[in-house]
Every structure is written in C-alpha cells, then in structure tokens.
Amino acid sequence: DFTIDMVTALDRFNGEKSYSIVQFASSGSLVQSSSGDKLSTIDSVNGLVYTGGFTNHDQAILRCREALSGTPADRNKYMLVITDGVSTRPSQNPVDSAIASANLAKGDGINIIPVFITTTSSGQEALDFMSTISSNGMVFSVTNFESLETLEQELV
C-alpha cells in the first residue's frame, strides 16, 4: 500500500516526525491527528474503508490544515493530497473553494503535494487545477492506484 510505504520511507529519516490522516469524499474527516507515529499511522491506514461519493478537496485541505496547526514551528509541514477526481463539493464553487483552502494552507507554510490518479474522464483541466493547489506547481500523476508505488522514490 502506497501510504504505508511512504510512511515507512519517511520514518527512516532522522528527526521528529508525526503523521495525520484525513479521509475525504463528499466531506472530509480527520482519521488520525498529527500526534500519530509510524505504527499508529499504519494501523489507521489499514482501518480505512473506501466510501465513494463526491470529491471535496476544500474539506480535505481544511481538515489537513487543522491537523497541522499544532505542529511545532521548527518542523516542515507537508500535505500529500491523493485523489482520483476533480472537486465536486461543496455544491457552490467547488474548485474555487478548494483553491481558497489551499492558499490558506500555503500561507501557513504547509507544502501541498498533489498526487492525481488520472481516469478516462479526467483531462488537462484536472491537472491544471491540481497544479494550482500545489505549493510549487508540480503534480504527480499516475494512471491508476496500482501505479502509486512508482512514485515513492520521487516523493521521498
């Protein structure tokens, strides 16, 4: 599983680390607070259940921002947004809402790294949106969930 592999790889680096997990579809919910260590994060990931639904990047980014708000100032803050859809929630201006939330997070010093799983229905517009919420304009894109494994070395 990509998330477990990422946490394991990041945990090899020296220094204090903590992890948060936010699950999102139609809404966003904090699954694990930023006080999570490697083992509790892996347990939380293993307990996730795919719920389906719409895609609410706005709530996902807001929940991540809240989780990272207590991070000590001397730590780098990263938000890895893994998604297979364009923003469809909230029902009014979903893309603008997500961009506004991303800008708030970036203003807090949070580095946003989007990972987009492309589908037959997603196109350049979706990648452009992901580039907009990214902290440096980069988007990591794969063709399916299984392809996520190829990104570990690039991201770490």
Side-chain angles (χ1 to χ4, degrees), residues 60-90:
I61 293 167
L62 285 175
R63 295 289 93 62
C64 287
R65 182 175 175 240
E66 290 169 2
L68 291 168
S69 67
T71 304
D74 63 336
R75 287 193 193 175
N76 293 323
K77 298 179 234 175
Y78 294 94
M79 182 186 306
L80 188 62
V81 179
I82 304 169
T83 185
D84 65 347
V86 295
S87 292
T88 57
R89 289 291 180 268

Side-chain angles (χ1 to χ4, degrees), residues 5 20 28 71 79 84-85 92 101 121 128 135 139 154:
D5 291 345
S20 302
T71 304
M79 182 186 306
D84 65 347
Q92 298 292 324
S101 292
S121 63
D128 290 345
S135 291
V139 179
E154 284 185 70

Side-chain angles (χ1 to χ4, degrees), residues 14-125:
N14 291 327
E16 294 289 321
K17 291 171 275 318
S18 58
Y19 307 94
S20 302
I21 299 173
V22 170
Q23 183 174 21
F24 67 99
S26 298
S27 63
S29 61
L30 181 64
V31 174
Q32 177 180 297
S33 70
S34 61
S35 60
D37 63 4
K38 175 186 163 188
L39 294 178
S40 66
T41 301
I42 290 171
D43 286 345
S44 293
V45 168
N46 285 330
L48 291 175
V49 176
Y50 178 73
T51 59
F54 295 99
T55 304
N56 194 330
H57 293 118
D58 172 49
Q59 286 298 300
I61 293 167
L62 285 175
R63 295 289 93 62
C64 287
R65 182 175 175 240
E66 290 169 2
L68 291 168
S69 67
T71 304
D74 63 336
R75 287 193 193 175
N76 293 323
K77 298 179 234 175
Y78 294 94
M79 182 186 306
L80 188 62
V81 179
I82 304 169
T83 185
D84 65 347
V86 295
S87 292
T88 57
R89 289 291 180 268
S91 56
Q92 298 292 324
N93 302 314
V95 169
D96 291 340
S97 296
I99 291 169
S101 292
N103 287 338
L104 288 171
K106 292 185 273 190
D108 289 348
I110 298 170
N111 297 291
I112 301 175
I113 304 166
V115 176
F116 191 70
I117 296 101
T118 58
T119 63
T120 54
S121 63
S122 59
Q124 189 60 44
E125 185 178 325

